[in-house]
Amino acid sequence: EASGTTLADSQGASPVALAGGATLGVPGGVAGDPNTAVRFDGVNDSGSASLNLSGTSQVTVEFWLKWNQFANNDSLAMEFTSNFNGGPGGFLVDPNADSGQFGIGMGQGASRNNVFFARPSAGQWHHYALVLDATAPAATAITPYVDGQSVTYTKTASGTGAGPFANSTLYLMSRAGAALFGAGDLDEVAVYDRALGSSTISEHVASNGTNRRPRAAFTMSPSPAKTGQTVTFNGAGSSDPDGTIARYQWDLDGNGSYETDSGSTPTATKSYTADGDLTVGLRVIDNAGGTDTQVNVLSIGNRAPTAAFTATPNPAGVGQAVSFNAAGSSDPDGTIAKYEWDRDGNGSYETDTGTTATTTSSYASAGNVTVGLRVTDNDGGTATATKVVSVKDASYSDTVLATTGLRDYWRMGEISGTTLADSAGTSTATVSGGTLGAAGAIDGDTNSAVGFNGTSSYARAQVNLSQTSAVTVEFWLKWDAWANNDALALEFTDNFNSFGGGFLVDPNASNGYFGVALGQGGARNTAYFSRPSAGQWHHYVLVLDGTAAGANQVTPYVDGQPVTYFKGDSGTGAGPFANANLSFMSRAGAGLFGAGVLDELAIYDRAVSATTVTQHYAAGTP
């Protein structure tokens, strides 16, 4: 600037306000550059600029300075914060340090870190670059350069923890514009939010003249990348304010040397075989020989392995050895270093077979076991896979009969007569018009089922559930066709709307869902879920717990799994169940006849667990 009281910020938005009558338009520090400098008289001239460095713990301060005369009076060239002794995040540039040297300091108290070096000649222009890095070891937290070269320094304070820097004011040639005024000419002040390297600093010093330096900028895609993946580096965002970019040179392997020269083409590509972080650099050279560099950190990630294994045999019998083989696992950029197994399904990978991909196990009880495999590759990447192993033991009927709380169990395997035996209790059912001897639901079980025609056939049994408020109803049902006509599968009491202690199983609920309900009036509690496929066998377990909260008094399971449901009523207080008739596939044998085949109907006087439901379903399926 040749006039005025403001110095523009050519890069950011922090103009310098001048005070005290500083002299503009004096010859600058860069040879051959007509741009001028500012002179400060050492009495009351100063400058100040608001500067937010709170996002970084690394700063480089660069400037040209022609200091009038060295002394030991702490006259300052710069100070960040109004007094760096009194507030965190500041720094000081003190050519006239009272130690008789040129002093640089940052931090305060125990975190103070400083360096002192021999003053260069007074009354002449010198280029200074001061690298302030609060993340570096204390011995190298401040690195001073004069005329492009690092200089020898001594330290009297080696504190750490000074960063990050502050959101404050940078004062030029004074302390807060009120004291310690410096006398001399100042030019080309630049502040960077990183630690400049020595090559960049020496390059800056060497770039004297009127040519304006180019600006290097590049992108990386993808970033981060995986091993083996091609990364494209694009320097098209580089620019030259007074010419053109003539050459693009790349340091693609992070060794600090720009071996890859793409000429005037701004792009380059490379893939990497090893994971880790590396510093990729671009150096651009303009048509007048000016250069600039930019570096970016590229993270190369390990590609995860793939876990896969087989289980043979599956299903398996109780006590039978099951062989697990993970040879199908793989790693796209390395090898599998370790195989770990969760053979008992508890979620913990206790069995480590090292680099051996096989193991065996056997099981003492029936049920489904979710076996897990975890593989780790040579770079520490992991992957998991699971497989359900079905362990068979007793027949389906033996499994049901061994379940605690079984009250009544109609296997429905009769092939003649008018009664259905209760295999667990004494509640023989009377069947009217049903088709006995129909093919049953359990594969490999010769026991038959009973078919109902949906117009007149049904069965009934007197069941006493008056001693419990929690009941589980379990059965296999092959329903002929869905409709919304309230045709029933089961009803306890002759009409659960009119008698206390009843429940209803309504596959053809009028709202288009499979409905389950208990209680009456204000105590009514209902749940509805999507109907499974018609014309096929499905295993149903309906847990009816009048002691539970209204939101979960009815818990339905289909084919061994809990199903999502919504509620129509959420009443509570239904109390114990009744001593009444249980009607199969009808309402009291007089209406709402259901059409389909019913098998293996069991009543428990408790709420069975999800694990028990899964075990029962597994026992009834191949």
Side-chain angles (χ1 to χ4, degrees):
E1 286 78 5
S3 62
T5 58
T6 303
L7 305 178
D9 184 348
S10 300
Q11 174 64 22
S14 300
V16 171
L18 295 175
T23 303
L24 281 67
V26 301
V30 179
D33 188 346
N35 195 65
T36 58
V38 180
R39 179 166 295 161
F40 298 81
D41 63 6
V43 178
N44 62 354
D45 293 349
S46 66
S48 62
S50 297
L51 194 59
N52 186 358
L53 298 176
S54 61
T56 183
S57 294
Q58 295 180 324
V59 165
T60 300
V61 184
E62 181 182 37
F63 54 93
W64 290 80
L65 176 65
K66 184 168 67 173
W67 194 254
N68 285 359
Q69 186 175 355
F70 292 114
N72 303 330
N73 58 6
D74 287 321
S75 296
L76 303 182
M78 295 180 191
E79 186 168 28
F80 185 53
T81 73
S82 58
N83 187 325
F84 92 127
N85 298 291
F91 60 78
L92 184 82
V93 181
D94 184 0
N96 279 8
D98 59 12
S99 64
Q101 294 181 298
F102 197 120
I104 314 295
M106 65 178 178
Q108 59 174 153
S111 69
R112 172 63 51 79
N113 193 293
N114 60 29
V115 301
F116 297 93
F117 57 90
R119 299 158 174 164
S121 53
Q124 296 181 17
W125 282 110
H126 294 284
H127 176 269
Y128 296 85
L130 311 172
V131 179
L132 314 177
D133 187 354
T135 69
T140 56
I142 301 175
T143 305
Y145 295 80
V146 177
D147 295 331
Q149 301 296 319
S150 60
V151 293
T152 302
Y153 56 84
T154 59
K155 302 185 70 66
T156 62
S158 296
T160 59
F165 289 94
N167 181 355
S168 188
T169 301
L170 175 65
Y171 293 96
L172 305 181
M173 306 296 275
S174 73
R175 169 163 283 170
L180 304 183
F181 294 99
D185 299 348
L186 187 63
D187 199 8
E188 305 287 343
V189 178
V191 179
Y192 306 83
D193 60 1
R194 66 181 180 94
L196 294 187
S198 59
S199 61
T200 300
I201 292 170
S202 61
E203 185 182 347
H204 286 197
V205 176
S207 64
N208 289 358
T210 58
N211 178 50
R212 297 176 63 188
R213 292 161 51 83
R215 182 176 297 278
F218 70 99
T219 61
M220 306 180 294
S221 180
S223 179
K226 297 291 187 182
T227 56
Q229 191 173 23
T230 298
V231 181
T232 298
F233 304 92
N234 192 332
S238 303
S239 60
D240 183 33
D242 58 356
T244 59
I245 305 295
R247 294 170 65 188
Y248 297 84
Q249 297 174 327
W250 302 90
D251 172 19
L252 299 180
D253 56 9
N255 69 349
S257 177
Y258 293 83
E259 305 98 337
T260 303
D261 190 331
S262 61
S264 59
T265 300
T267 58
T269 60
K270 186 175 176 61
S271 62
Y272 299 87
T273 58
D275 61 344
D277 292 344
L278 70 157
T279 302
V280 176
L282 167 64
R283 178 167 63 198
V284 294
I285 304 174
D286 68 15
N287 57 307
T291 67
D292 188 37
T293 60
Q294 183 191 357
V295 295
N296 290 327
V297 175
L298 175 65
S299 295
I300 305 296
N302 172 49
R303 282 189 287 174
T306 299
F309 69 100
T310 59
T312 307
N314 187 17
V318 169
Q320 184 178 14
V322 180
S323 296
F324 302 102
N325 190 329
S329 302
S330 61
D331 182 35
D333 57 357
T335 59
I336 303 297
K338 184 167 59 176
Y339 297 86
E340 297 172 291
W341 302 88
D342 170 21
R343 299 183 303 185
D344 56 9
N346 69 348
S348 178
Y349 296 87
E350 303 97 338
T351 303
D352 185 340
T353 59
T355 57
T356 300
T358 58
T359 187
T360 60
S361 188
S362 61
Y363 301 91
S365 59
N368 288 337
V369 181
T370 302
V371 176
L373 165 68
R374 179 170 64 197
V375 296
T376 304
D377 68 16
N378 57 305
D379 283 314
T382 63
T384 60
T386 59
K387 188 177 294 293
V388 175
V389 175
S390 179
V391 182
K392 303 289 188 180
D393 186 0
S395 66
Y396 178 82
S397 59
D398 288 341
T399 303
V400 172
L401 288 166
T403 302
T404 302
L406 181 65
R407 175 69 177 75
D408 300 285
Y409 181 26
W410 299 275
R411 297 213 60 210
M412 308 184 76
E414 289 78 4
I415 58 174
S416 63
T418 58
T419 59
L420 305 174
D422 183 349
S423 300
T426 59
S427 297
T428 301
T430 300
V431 62
S432 176
T435 302
L436 279 66
I442 310 301
D443 285 338
D445 189 344
T446 58
N447 196 68
S448 57
V450 179
F452 298 87
N453 61 17
T455 57
S456 60
S457 57
Y458 65 93
R460 301 187 79 193
Q462 180 73 25
V463 179
N464 186 1
L465 298 175
S466 61
Q467 300 304 309
T468 182
S469 294
V471 165
T472 300
V473 184
E474 180 179 30
F475 54 93
W476 291 80
L477 176 64
K478 182 166 66 173
W479 193 255
D480 283 0
W482 304 116
N484 303 330
N485 56 6
D486 288 321
L488 303 182
L490 297 169
E491 186 169 30
F492 187 50
T493 73
D494 287 347
N495 186 325
F496 94 125
N497 297 292
S498 304
F499 300 95
F503 61 78
L504 185 80
V505 180
D506 183 0
N508 278 8
S510 59
N511 63 357
Y513 288 86
F514 195 119
V516 183
L518 74 156
Q520 61 177 150
R524 173 65 50 82
N525 195 291
T526 57
Y528 298 94
F529 57 91
S530 296
R531 299 159 174 163
S533 52
Q536 297 181 18
W537 283 110
H538 294 285
H539 177 255
Y540 297 85
V541 176
L542 309 171
V543 179
L544 313 176
D545 188 353
T547 68
N552 51 17
Q553 284 200 0
V554 179
T555 305
Y557 298 80
V558 177
D559 295 335
Q561 298 297 319
V563 294
T564 302
Y565 59 87
F566 69 92
K567 303 195 70 61
D569 300 284
S570 298
T572 58
F577 288 93
N579 181 355
N581 282 315
L582 176 64
S583 296
F584 306 2
M585 306 294 276
S586 74
R587 170 164 281 171
L592 304 183
F593 294 99
V597 188
L598 186 65
D599 199 10
E600 305 287 344
L601 173 59
I603 305 291
Y604 305 84
D605 60 6
R606 68 181 182 92
V608 302
S609 68
T611 300
T612 299
V613 173
T614 301
Q615 290 173 342
H616 284 203
Y617 177 68
T621 54

